[in-house]
mmCIF file with all atom_site columns, all heavy atoms in Angstrom:
data_model
loop_
_atom_site.group_PDB
_atom_site.id
_atom_site.type_symbol
_atom_site.label_atom_id
_atom_site.label_alt_id
_atom_site.label_comp_id
_atom_site.label_asym_id
_atom_site.label_entity_id
_atom_site.label_seq_id
_atom_site.pdbx_PDB_ins_code
_atom_site.Cartn_x
_atom_site.Cartn_y
_atom_site.Cartn_z
_atom_site.occupancy
_atom_site.B_iso_or_equiv
_atom_site.pdbx_formal_charge
_atom_site.auth_seq_id
_atom_site.auth_comp_id
_atom_site.auth_asym_id
_atom_site.auth_atom_id
_atom_site.pdbx_PDB_model_num
ATOM 1   N N   . PHE A 1 69 ? 40.122 -23.200 51.170 1.00 93.00 ? 347 PHE A N   1
ATOM 2   C CA  . PHE A 1 69 ? 40.623 -23.807 52.405 1.00 93.00 ? 347 PHE A CA  1
ATOM 3   C C   . PHE A 1 69 ? 39.775 -23.358 53.588 1.00 93.00 ? 347 PHE A C   1
ATOM 4   O O   . PHE A 1 69 ? 39.381 -24.167 54.438 1.00 93.00 ? 347 PHE A O   1
ATOM 5   C CB  . PHE A 1 69 ? 42.093 -23.425 52.639 1.00 93.00 ? 347 PHE A CB  1
ATOM 6   C CG  . PHE A 1 69 ? 42.643 -23.929 53.940 1.00 93.00 ? 347 PHE A CG  1
ATOM 7   C CD1 . PHE A 1 69 ? 43.103 -25.231 54.054 1.00 93.00 ? 347 PHE A CD1 1
ATOM 8   C CD2 . PHE A 1 69 ? 42.702 -23.111 55.058 1.00 93.00 ? 347 PHE A CD2 1
ATOM 9   C CE1 . PHE A 1 69 ? 43.599 -25.710 55.251 1.00 93.00 ? 347 PHE A CE1 1
ATOM 10  C CE2 . PHE A 1 69 ? 43.197 -23.581 56.264 1.00 93.00 ? 347 PHE A CE2 1
ATOM 11  C CZ  . PHE A 1 69 ? 43.652 -24.883 56.362 1.00 93.00 ? 347 PHE A CZ  1
ATOM 12  N N   . GLU A 1 70 ? 39.480 -22.068 53.638 1.00 92.00 ? 348 GLU A N   1
ATOM 13  C CA  . GLU A 1 70 ? 38.675 -21.507 54.720 1.00 92.00 ? 348 GLU A CA  1
ATOM 14  C C   . GLU A 1 70 ? 37.276 -22.131 54.733 1.00 92.00 ? 348 GLU A C   1
ATOM 15  O O   . GLU A 1 70 ? 36.750 -22.482 55.794 1.00 92.00 ? 348 GLU A O   1
ATOM 16  C CB  . GLU A 1 70 ? 38.581 -20.000 54.543 1.00 92.00 ? 348 GLU A CB  1
ATOM 17  C CG  . GLU A 1 70 ? 37.921 -19.279 55.669 1.00 92.00 ? 348 GLU A CG  1
ATOM 18  C CD  . GLU A 1 70 ? 37.914 -17.765 55.469 1.00 92.00 ? 348 GLU A CD  1
ATOM 19  O OE1 . GLU A 1 70 ? 38.498 -17.260 54.494 1.00 92.00 ? 348 GLU A OE1 1
ATOM 20  O OE2 . GLU A 1 70 ? 37.298 -17.100 56.296 1.00 92.00 ? 348 GLU A OE2 1
ATOM 21  N N   . LEU A 1 71 ? 36.673 -22.294 53.568 1.00 93.00 ? 349 LEU A N   1
ATOM 22  C CA  . LEU A 1 71 ? 35.362 -22.952 53.469 1.00 93.00 ? 349 LEU A CA  1
ATOM 23  C C   . LEU A 1 71 ? 35.418 -24.370 54.013 1.00 93.00 ? 349 LEU A C   1
ATOM 24  O O   . LEU A 1 71 ? 34.519 -24.822 54.710 1.00 93.00 ? 349 LEU A O   1
ATOM 25  C CB  . LEU A 1 71 ? 34.927 -23.034 52.009 1.00 93.00 ? 349 LEU A CB  1
ATOM 26  C CG  . LEU A 1 71 ? 34.032 -21.985 51.425 1.00 93.00 ? 349 LEU A CG  1
ATOM 27  C CD1 . LEU A 1 71 ? 33.779 -22.266 49.949 1.00 93.00 ? 349 LEU A CD1 1
ATOM 28  C CD2 . LEU A 1 71 ? 32.741 -21.828 52.172 1.00 93.00 ? 349 LEU A CD2 1
ATOM 29  N N   . MET A 1 72 ? 36.493 -25.069 53.682 1.00 93.00 ? 350 MET A N   1
ATOM 30  C CA  . MET A 1 72 ? 36.626 -26.477 54.067 1.00 93.00 ? 350 MET A CA  1
ATOM 31  C C   . MET A 1 72 ? 36.884 -26.666 55.565 1.00 93.00 ? 350 MET A C   1
ATOM 32  O O   . MET A 1 72 ? 36.854 -27.790 56.057 1.00 93.00 ? 350 MET A O   1
ATOM 33  C CB  . MET A 1 72 ? 37.736 -27.144 53.251 1.00 93.00 ? 350 MET A CB  1
ATOM 34  C CG  . MET A 1 72 ? 37.413 -27.298 51.775 1.00 93.00 ? 350 MET A CG  1
ATOM 35  S SD  . MET A 1 72 ? 36.219 -28.589 51.429 1.00 93.00 ? 350 MET A SD  1
ATOM 36  C CE  . MET A 1 72 ? 37.233 -30.039 51.626 1.00 93.00 ? 350 MET A CE  1
ATOM 37  N N   . LEU A 1 73 ? 37.114 -25.589 56.297 1.00 92.00 ? 351 LEU A N   1
ATOM 38  C CA  . LEU A 1 73 ? 37.247 -25.690 57.750 1.00 92.00 ? 351 LEU A CA  1
ATOM 39  C C   . LEU A 1 73 ? 35.895 -26.006 58.391 1.00 92.00 ? 351 LEU A C   1
ATOM 40  O O   . LEU A 1 73 ? 35.833 -26.514 59.501 1.00 92.00 ? 351 LEU A O   1
ATOM 41  C CB  . LEU A 1 73 ? 37.827 -24.398 58.340 1.00 92.00 ? 351 LEU A CB  1
ATOM 42  C CG  . LEU A 1 73 ? 39.288 -24.116 58.005 1.00 92.00 ? 351 LEU A CG  1
ATOM 43  C CD1 . LEU A 1 73 ? 39.688 -22.730 58.508 1.00 92.00 ? 351 LEU A CD1 1
ATOM 44  C CD2 . LEU A 1 73 ? 40.210 -25.181 58.563 1.00 92.00 ? 351 LEU A CD2 1
ATOM 45  N N   . ASN A 1 74 ? 34.817 -25.708 57.666 1.00 93.00 ? 352 ASN A N   1
ATOM 46  C CA  . ASN A 1 74 ? 33.465 -26.009 58.128 1.00 93.00 ? 352 ASN A CA  1
ATOM 47  C C   . ASN A 1 74 ? 33.178 -27.484 57.818 1.00 93.00 ? 352 ASN A C   1
ATOM 48  O O   . ASN A 1 74 ? 33.214 -27.905 56.665 1.00 93.00 ? 352 ASN A O   1
ATOM 49  C CB  . ASN A 1 74 ? 32.476 -25.084 57.404 1.00 93.00 ? 352 ASN A CB  1
ATOM 50  C CG  . ASN A 1 74 ? 31.045 -25.346 57.758 1.00 93.00 ? 352 ASN A CG  1
ATOM 51  O OD1 . ASN A 1 74 ? 30.574 -26.483 57.755 1.00 93.00 ? 352 ASN A OD1 1
ATOM 52  N ND2 . ASN A 1 74 ? 30.323 -24.288 58.042 1.00 93.00 ? 352 ASN A ND2 1
ATOM 53  N N   . GLY A 1 75 ? 32.889 -28.254 58.854 1.00 92.00 ? 353 GLY A N   1
ATOM 54  C CA  . GLY A 1 75 ? 32.670 -29.694 58.688 1.00 92.00 ? 353 GLY A CA  1
ATOM 55  C C   . GLY A 1 75 ? 31.544 -30.050 57.740 1.00 92.00 ? 353 GLY A C   1
ATOM 56  O O   . GLY A 1 75 ? 31.638 -31.008 56.973 1.00 92.00 ? 353 GLY A O   1
ATOM 57  N N   . SER A 1 76 ? 30.457 -29.287 57.773 1.00 94.00 ? 354 SER A N   1
ATOM 58  C CA  . SER A 1 76 ? 29.326 -29.568 56.875 1.00 94.00 ? 354 SER A CA  1
ATOM 59  C C   . SER A 1 76 ? 29.704 -29.306 55.430 1.00 94.00 ? 354 SER A C   1
ATOM 60  O O   . SER A 1 76 ? 29.374 -30.100 54.535 1.00 94.00 ? 354 SER A O   1
ATOM 61  C CB  . SER A 1 76 ? 28.120 -28.712 57.252 1.00 94.00 ? 354 SER A CB  1
ATOM 62  O OG  . SER A 1 76 ? 27.666 -29.055 58.530 1.00 94.00 ? 354 SER A OG  1
ATOM 63  N N   . VAL A 1 77 ? 30.403 -28.209 55.192 1.00 95.00 ? 355 VAL A N   1
ATOM 64  C CA  . VAL A 1 77 ? 30.849 -27.884 53.830 1.00 95.00 ? 355 VAL A CA  1
ATOM 65  C C   . VAL A 1 77 ? 31.794 -28.980 53.330 1.00 95.00 ? 355 VAL A C   1
ATOM 66  O O   . VAL A 1 77 ? 31.652 -29.477 52.218 1.00 95.00 ? 355 VAL A O   1
ATOM 67  C CB  . VAL A 1 77 ? 31.545 -26.504 53.780 1.00 95.00 ? 355 VAL A CB  1
ATOM 68  C CG1 . VAL A 1 77 ? 32.232 -26.284 52.444 1.00 95.00 ? 355 VAL A CG1 1
ATOM 69  C CG2 . VAL A 1 77 ? 30.537 -25.398 54.055 1.00 95.00 ? 355 VAL A CG2 1
ATOM 70  N N   . ARG A 1 78 ? 32.745 -29.358 54.178 1.00 94.00 ? 356 ARG A N   1
ATOM 71  C CA  . ARG A 1 78 ? 33.711 -30.395 53.792 1.00 94.00 ? 356 ARG A CA  1
ATOM 72  C C   . ARG A 1 78 ? 32.992 -31.706 53.452 1.00 94.00 ? 356 ARG A C   1
ATOM 73  O O   . ARG A 1 78 ? 33.271 -32.333 52.431 1.00 94.00 ? 356 ARG A O   1
ATOM 74  C CB  . ARG A 1 78 ? 34.731 -30.602 54.918 1.00 94.00 ? 356 ARG A CB  1
ATOM 75  C CG  . ARG A 1 78 ? 35.824 -31.592 54.568 1.00 94.00 ? 356 ARG A CG  1
ATOM 76  C CD  . ARG A 1 78 ? 36.930 -31.691 55.618 1.00 94.00 ? 356 ARG A CD  1
ATOM 77  N NE  . ARG A 1 78 ? 36.421 -31.949 56.950 1.00 94.00 ? 356 ARG A NE  1
ATOM 78  C CZ  . ARG A 1 78 ? 36.464 -31.089 57.957 1.00 94.00 ? 356 ARG A CZ  1
ATOM 79  N NH1 . ARG A 1 78 ? 37.000 -29.892 57.791 1.00 94.00 ? 356 ARG A NH1 1
ATOM 80  N NH2 . ARG A 1 78 ? 35.980 -31.398 59.140 1.00 94.00 ? 356 ARG A NH2 1
ATOM 81  N N   . SER A 1 79 ? 32.034 -32.102 54.288 1.00 93.00 ? 357 SER A N   1
ATOM 82  C CA  . SER A 1 79 ? 31.298 -33.352 54.042 1.00 93.00 ? 357 SER A CA  1
ATOM 83  C C   . SER A 1 79 ? 30.525 -33.303 52.734 1.00 93.00 ? 357 SER A C   1
ATOM 84  O O   . SER A 1 79 ? 30.534 -34.264 51.969 1.00 93.00 ? 357 SER A O   1
ATOM 85  C CB  . SER A 1 79 ? 30.322 -33.617 55.195 1.00 93.00 ? 357 SER A CB  1
ATOM 86  O OG  . SER A 1 79 ? 31.012 -33.819 56.387 1.00 93.00 ? 357 SER A OG  1
ATOM 87  N N   . VAL A 1 80 ? 29.844 -32.189 52.470 1.00 95.00 ? 358 VAL A N   1
ATOM 88  C CA  . VAL A 1 80 ? 29.062 -32.063 51.232 1.00 95.00 ? 358 VAL A CA  1
ATOM 89  C C   . VAL A 1 80 ? 29.985 -32.090 50.020 1.00 95.00 ? 358 VAL A C   1
ATOM 90  O O   . VAL A 1 80 ? 29.720 -32.810 49.050 1.00 95.00 ? 358 VAL A O   1
ATOM 91  C CB  . VAL A 1 80 ? 28.194 -30.774 51.254 1.00 95.00 ? 358 VAL A CB  1
ATOM 92  C CG1 . VAL A 1 80 ? 27.619 -30.473 49.874 1.00 95.00 ? 358 VAL A CG1 1
ATOM 93  C CG2 . VAL A 1 80 ? 27.069 -30.909 52.272 1.00 95.00 ? 358 VAL A CG2 1
ATOM 94  N N   . ILE A 1 81 ? 31.077 -31.357 50.052 1.00 95.00 ? 359 ILE A N   1
ATOM 95  C CA  . ILE A 1 81 ? 32.001 -31.336 48.905 1.00 95.00 ? 359 ILE A CA  1
ATOM 96  C C   . ILE A 1 81 ? 32.588 -32.715 48.662 1.00 95.00 ? 359 ILE A C   1
ATOM 97  O O   . ILE A 1 81 ? 32.645 -33.187 47.518 1.00 95.00 ? 359 ILE A O   1
ATOM 98  C CB  . ILE A 1 81 ? 33.093 -30.271 49.090 1.00 95.00 ? 359 ILE A CB  1
ATOM 99  C CG1 . ILE A 1 81 ? 32.478 -28.878 48.908 1.00 95.00 ? 359 ILE A CG1 1
ATOM 100 C CG2 . ILE A 1 81 ? 34.246 -30.478 48.098 1.00 95.00 ? 359 ILE A CG2 1
ATOM 101 C CD1 . ILE A 1 81 ? 33.420 -27.723 49.161 1.00 95.00 ? 359 ILE A CD1 1
ATOM 102 N N   . LEU A 1 82 ? 33.001 -33.395 49.718 1.00 92.00 ? 360 LEU A N   1
ATOM 103 C CA  . LEU A 1 82 ? 33.581 -34.733 49.542 1.00 92.00 ? 360 LEU A CA  1
ATOM 104 C C   . LEU A 1 82 ? 32.563 -35.720 48.982 1.00 92.00 ? 360 LEU A C   1
ATOM 105 O O   . LEU A 1 82 ? 32.895 -36.536 48.129 1.00 92.00 ? 360 LEU A O   1
ATOM 106 C CB  . LEU A 1 82 ? 34.169 -35.239 50.865 1.00 92.00 ? 360 LEU A CB  1
ATOM 107 C CG  . LEU A 1 82 ? 35.391 -34.475 51.360 1.00 92.00 ? 360 LEU A CG  1
ATOM 108 C CD1 . LEU A 1 82 ? 35.824 -34.972 52.731 1.00 92.00 ? 360 LEU A CD1 1
ATOM 109 C CD2 . LEU A 1 82 ? 36.526 -34.557 50.372 1.00 92.00 ? 360 LEU A CD2 1
ATOM 110 N N   . LEU A 1 83 ? 31.330 -35.620 49.444 1.00 93.00 ? 361 LEU A N   1
ATOM 111 C CA  . LEU A 1 83 ? 30.287 -36.500 48.913 1.00 93.00 ? 361 LEU A CA  1
ATOM 112 C C   . LEU A 1 83 ? 29.998 -36.173 47.449 1.00 93.00 ? 361 LEU A C   1
ATOM 113 O O   . LEU A 1 83 ? 29.841 -37.071 46.618 1.00 93.00 ? 361 LEU A O   1
ATOM 114 C CB  . LEU A 1 83 ? 29.013 -36.400 49.753 1.00 93.00 ? 361 LEU A CB  1
ATOM 115 C CG  . LEU A 1 83 ? 27.891 -37.355 49.377 1.00 93.00 ? 361 LEU A CG  1
ATOM 116 C CD1 . LEU A 1 83 ? 28.359 -38.805 49.403 1.00 93.00 ? 361 LEU A CD1 1
ATOM 117 C CD2 . LEU A 1 83 ? 26.711 -37.169 50.318 1.00 93.00 ? 361 LEU A CD2 1
ATOM 118 N N   . LEU A 1 84 ? 29.958 -34.881 47.106 1.00 93.00 ? 362 LEU A N   1
ATOM 119 C CA  . LEU A 1 84 ? 29.712 -34.491 45.715 1.00 93.00 ? 362 LEU A CA  1
ATOM 120 C C   . LEU A 1 84 ? 30.868 -34.906 44.806 1.00 93.00 ? 362 LEU A C   1
ATOM 121 O O   . LEU A 1 84 ? 30.661 -35.126 43.615 1.00 93.00 ? 362 LEU A O   1
ATOM 122 C CB  . LEU A 1 84 ? 29.454 -32.991 45.613 1.00 93.00 ? 362 LEU A CB  1
ATOM 123 C CG  . LEU A 1 84 ? 28.112 -32.517 46.174 1.00 93.00 ? 362 LEU A CG  1
ATOM 124 C CD1 . LEU A 1 84 ? 28.043 -30.999 46.196 1.00 93.00 ? 362 LEU A CD1 1
ATOM 125 C CD2 . LEU A 1 84 ? 26.955 -33.086 45.377 1.00 93.00 ? 362 LEU A CD2 1
#
Side-chain angles (χ1 to χ4, degrees):
F347 176 82
E348 187 177 355
L349 265 178
M350 292 286 284
L351 291 173
N352 178 312
S354 296
V355 169
R356 184 174 53 248
S357 296
V358 168
I359 288 176
L360 293 175
L361 185 56
L362 289 172

